Amino acid sequence: MAEENTETVADEAAEGGKKSGKMKLILIVVGVLLIAVIGGVGAMFMLGGSDDEAAAAPAEPAKPAQALYTKIRTLEGSPYFTVVVPSNDDRTHYMQIYVEAKSRDDEVVAALTKHMPKIVSNLNRLFSSQSFAEIRTADGRLKLQQASLKEIQTIMQQRIGKPGIEKVLFTGFVMQ
């Protein structure tokens, strides 16, 4: 009976060893498959991403168009305006201004060229109505520059339906 018990224990150990070996093999196979699946999913996220992420990423702001500068020329083609400026000191004073308009649209540049006579006429009227004492100051010249901008923007708004001009630059300013 003792021999039977020993044989039974030995048989059970052999069967347990076979079961435990099969169990180890199954666990190893499942572990390898699990690692392969996790690795594949991780690689897909890292390399491929998803369309949702691409759509959710903010787009870079568009760069503004290149600045275009147009010389405002008198009817004779002169690159500057020369006007007599009234003053209270009983002397005749002259003002000479080189004017350029800054825009970012070829359509506006074409419209400026087409409507140049109207622009020049309005700017001549504006410049000659200035007071010598006021435009001698930096603040007075800045106000004149802003008034020139509004004058040109008004003309552009009437002619092409948009102001079109960002800035008016006085590239030369001489008073005598």
Side-chain angles (χ1 to χ4, degrees):
M1 186 144 165
E3 288 179 15
E4 283 181 27
N5 282 341
T6 311
E7 286 179 19
T8 312
V9 172
D11 288 342
E12 286 177 7
E15 285 180 26
K18 288 181 186 177
K19 286 183 182 179
S20 125
K22 287 182 183 179
M23 187 61 99
K24 284 182 185 177
L25 183 63
I26 291 173
L27 287 175
I28 290 173
V29 170
V30 169
V32 169
L33 287 175
L34 187 61
I35 290 173
V37 169
I38 290 173
V41 171
M44 184 178 72
F45 279 119
M46 293 181 81
L47 297 176
S50 70
D51 293 340
D52 294 339
E53 289 177 13
E60 288 186 27
K63 292 183 180 179
Q66 184 177 5
L68 304 170
Y69 296 94
T70 306
K71 291 184 185 311
I72 306 298
R73 299 185 174 273
T74 62
L75 298 176
E76 300 84 34
S78 176
Y80 54 85
F81 291 82
T82 304
V83 295
V84 175
V85 181
S87 71
N88 294 332
D89 63 2
D90 294 329
R91 294 178 58 202
T92 303
H93 295 281
Y94 296 95
M95 177 173 62
Q96 184 180 60
I97 304 176
Y98 291 81
V99 181
E100 290 195 39
K102 177 183 174 184
S103 66
R104 297 190 186 274
D105 187 353
D106 290 329
E107 177 189 356
V108 173
V109 172
L112 281 169
T113 304
K114 181 178 180 182
H115 301 292
M116 194 64 70
K118 175 77 171 163
I119 293 167
V120 168
S121 174
N122 286 15
L123 289 180
N124 266 327
R125 181 182 40 76
L126 175 67
F127 295 155
S128 61
S129 69
Q130 300 302 306
S131 159
F132 180 74
E134 186 172 326
I135 57 175
R136 284 182 60 180
T137 66
D139 190 43
R141 287 189 294 274
L142 185 61
K143 286 179 183 177
L144 180 60
Q145 194 174 10
Q146 292 299 319
S148 300
L149 173 65
K150 288 184 192 239
E151 194 69 41
I152 295 173
Q153 284 179 334
T154 300
I155 294 168
M156 290 293 101
Q157 185 68 41
Q158 292 170 349
R159 304 295 187 210
I160 63 172
K162 60 183 173 182
I165 302 298
E166 287 179 26
K167 195 171 204 176
V168 168
L169 305 164
F170 290 163
T171 56
F173 194 96
V174 179
M175 287 183 25
Q176 171 183 328

